[in-house]
Amino acid sequence: MKDFNRSRMATGHPALRQSGFTAPDEFAVFCLCEQPNSDEMWKAYAGATGFVLAFDTTHAAFESLRNPGKLGKITYSDEPLGTFIGPYGPDAFFRKRLKYSFECEWRIILAIHRLEDNGERDGHHVFVSQFDSACVSEVLLRPESTVEQELRELFATDRRYAHIALRRVEKVE
């Protein structure tokens, strides 16, 4: 949440307290994308070796990912936000610059104190949350993925993942 100017934030501001938010550094962002085979997203997040989890957002188990939390669709605009406590308030969590509109992103905002601190990676804390794998419908892999065999073995040996389809997707030109 480094995009926010913390010197302008008032943790105890009544508008933030009323909406359930206090300060952005108390929250984690779980990002979701509507486009499972976007080259830009693969390059930025999954690389050649990664994979994509496709969630069935209509499955009851998906609720465990967003509750407690706040789910919202990102709007894209180059209009300045002003301050965090200005007219956008907590909706500032759901705004990005227009150049990122290819992401077709949704976010789930969660309180960090509800997550498990999984140590640091590249100087940043990594927070994790357990969720019910029943809401995962498939895993997408690019042809050059290096984890396909491990995923196939996991799906074959662990009943929790037996329902998940494994699908290769080609690079979009």
Side-chain angles (χ1 to χ4, degrees):
M1 297 260 115
K2 294 179 182 175
D3 294 346
F4 293 102
N5 180 347
R6 290 193 174 129
S7 66
R8 293 186 178 187
M9 283 184 250
T11 302
H13 189 277
L16 295 176
R17 279 198 313 266
Q18 184 177 29
S19 64
F21 287 103
T22 52
D25 61 351
E26 295 179 16
F27 297 93
V29 178
F30 178 53
C31 301
L32 303 156
C33 174
E34 291 178 359
Q35 305 298 323
N37 202 20
S38 162
D39 279 339
E40 293 96 341
M41 296 299 282
W42 278 94
K43 287 176 192 169
Y45 300 104
T49 60
F51 57 92
V52 171
L53 294 180
F55 292 95
D56 176 356
T57 58
T58 64
H59 193 286
F62 186 75
E63 189 66 23
S64 69
L65 278 167
R66 65 183 199 145
N67 193 9
K70 181 172 173 73
L71 172 69
K73 185 171 177 59
I74 297 298
T75 58
Y76 300 92
S77 172
D78 287 332
E79 179 184 324
L81 274 176
T83 66
F84 181 76
I85 58 174
Y88 292 101
D91 288 338
F93 282 112
F94 302 101
R95 286 272 315 266
K96 286 181 96 169
R97 296 199 182 279
L98 207 48
K99 70 180 182 179
Y100 298 109
S101 62
F102 68 88
E103 294 179 344
C104 301
E105 184 179 342
W106 287 73
R107 287 184 178 167
I108 299 173
I109 309 300
L110 301 161
I112 284 180
H113 75 270
R114 295 182 179 269
L115 305 174
E116 179 184 328
D117 188 338
N118 203 25
E120 285 191 25
R121 175 167 279 160
D122 299 325
H124 301 282
H125 278 275
V126 176
F127 294 94
V128 296
S129 176
Q130 294 199 12
F131 65 92
D132 188 339
S133 61
C135 65
V136 177
S137 59
E138 64 181 347
V139 174
L140 308 176
L141 301 155
R142 288 275 175 100
E144 59 274 11
S145 176
T146 60
V147 296
E148 183 174 357
Q149 186 58 38
E150 290 92 335
L151 288 171
R152 288 193 183 284
E153 290 172 12
L154 176 65
F155 294 176
T157 59
D158 192 323
R159 294 179 343 160
R160 294 175 298 173
Y161 310 115
H163 70 282
I164 301 173
L166 193 59
R167 182 168 59 108
R168 289 175 156 262
V169 293
E170 297 296 324
K171 184 176 179 180
V172 178
E173 298 298 331

